[in-house]
Amino acid sequence: MKFFIDTANLADIKEAYNLGILDGVTTNPSLMAKEGITGQENILNHYKEICDTVEGDVSAEVIATDFEGMVKEGKELASLHKNIVVKIPMTTEGIKAIKHFSNKGIRTNCTLIFSAGQALLAAKAGATYISPFLGRLDDISHNGLDLVEQIRGIYDNYLFDTEILAASVRHPMHIIKCAELGADVVTAPLKSILALAKHPLTDAGLAQFLADHAKGNQ
């Protein structure tokens, strides 16, 4: 399973990259705004900085909601760097744009997926990735992990090349369960990724080893 980090914060991206396990980055307008990055030129320059920091795919999201606008913005984003994946919302106009980009050899990430039907349409249109939002489904008392399992079954039935990129990840168990269910990619905040390395028995065991070593070398 590939690990992406879901942020626009360069410090977090660099820390995740330095761990040696980072495969890519996802961003969105909300994450850009959280970092105080506004204005089209600043946003485009920030995408370039992210691409210069990591070696893997970087999802960059269009703002337009109509087909023509998505195509125009998507072409501009794709031209920034070879690792850019154009992030398109799950709408009928978005499906048209994904098909257009697929025919042009431009990679896409269909975002805001909340049903298996949406995931099926995106795969049929040729999306490179689809992003089911686990946490947001959990927020309305639906199990987001059930959706990942359902999509995995459908994609395996028909051998779709589209990769399942689990998004809206809230905690490390989301990551573990996505790995068990066969998600191709998980995108998570840095804190959720770092939490995978923590266990109280590891901490206690290390403390004991160090204490025993100290006693034997007084």
Side-chain angles (χ1 to χ4, degrees):
M1 185 173 71
K2 290 183 283 189
F3 275 42
F4 289 5
I5 186 171
D6 192 34
T7 186
N9 184 288
L10 283 176
D12 283 356
I13 292 169
K14 289 174 182 176
E15 184 173 350
Y17 179 76
N18 288 336
L19 281 174
I21 52 84
L22 188 65
D23 299 296
V25 177
T26 56
T27 62
N28 59 46
S30 298
L31 292 172
M32 285 285 188
K34 183 179 178 181
E35 300 302 322
I37 302 160
T38 58
Q40 183 67 2
E41 185 177 354
N42 290 333
I43 290 172
L44 294 179
N45 286 334
H46 197 71
Y47 280 132
K48 291 178 184 177
E49 284 190 75
I50 293 173
C51 288
D52 289 339
T53 302
V54 301
E55 297 173 0
D57 290 344
V58 176
S59 286
E61 189 162 348
V62 300
I63 304 300
T65 56
D66 62 296
F67 171 77
E68 290 79 9
M70 290 180 191
V71 168
K72 180 180 178 182
E73 286 184 33
K75 287 180 178 177
E76 184 177 14
L77 289 171
S79 69
L80 292 175
H81 195 279
K82 63 182 178 62
N83 289 347
I84 289 287
V85 176
V86 180
K87 204 171 183 182
I88 304 287
M90 166 41 70
T91 62
T92 52
E93 293 292 282
I95 292 297
K96 294 176 189 176
I98 289 168
K99 184 62 177 179
H100 172 85
F101 287 130
S102 178
N103 290 338
K104 299 291 185 181
I106 294 175
R107 296 175 303 148
T108 55
N109 175 1
C110 187
T111 190
L112 294 171
I113 296 282
F114 293 100
S115 75
Q118 292 176 328
L120 181 57
L121 285 176
K124 288 283 291 181
T128 310
Y129 299 101
I130 56 101
S131 292
F133 276 40
L134 310 187
R136 294 196 192 184
L137 281 170
D138 290 353
D139 289 344
I140 59 168
S141 300
H142 288 262
N143 190 336
L145 291 166
D146 287 346
L147 176 59
V148 173
E149 184 175 17
Q150 191 177 20
I151 296 170
R152 179 76 279 157
I154 292 170
Y155 282 12
D156 288 349
N157 281 345
Y158 300 101
L159 303 179
F160 284 121
D161 292 329
T162 301
E163 296 189 43
I164 301 171
L165 194 166
S168 187
V169 167
R170 301 283 174 78
H171 48 74
M173 284 310 299
H174 266 159
I175 300 175
I176 297 300
K177 289 297 183 182
C178 283
E180 290 178 345
L181 293 171
D184 300 288
V185 190
V186 67
T187 186
L190 179 62
K191 65 179 182 179
S192 296
I193 296 172
L194 293 177
L196 293 172
K198 299 293 290 181
H199 195 285
L201 293 180
T202 301
D203 295 340
L206 180 58
Q208 184 64 56
F209 293 157
L210 293 175
D212 290 343
H213 174 77
K215 288 177 184 178
N217 291 274
Q218 289 179 345

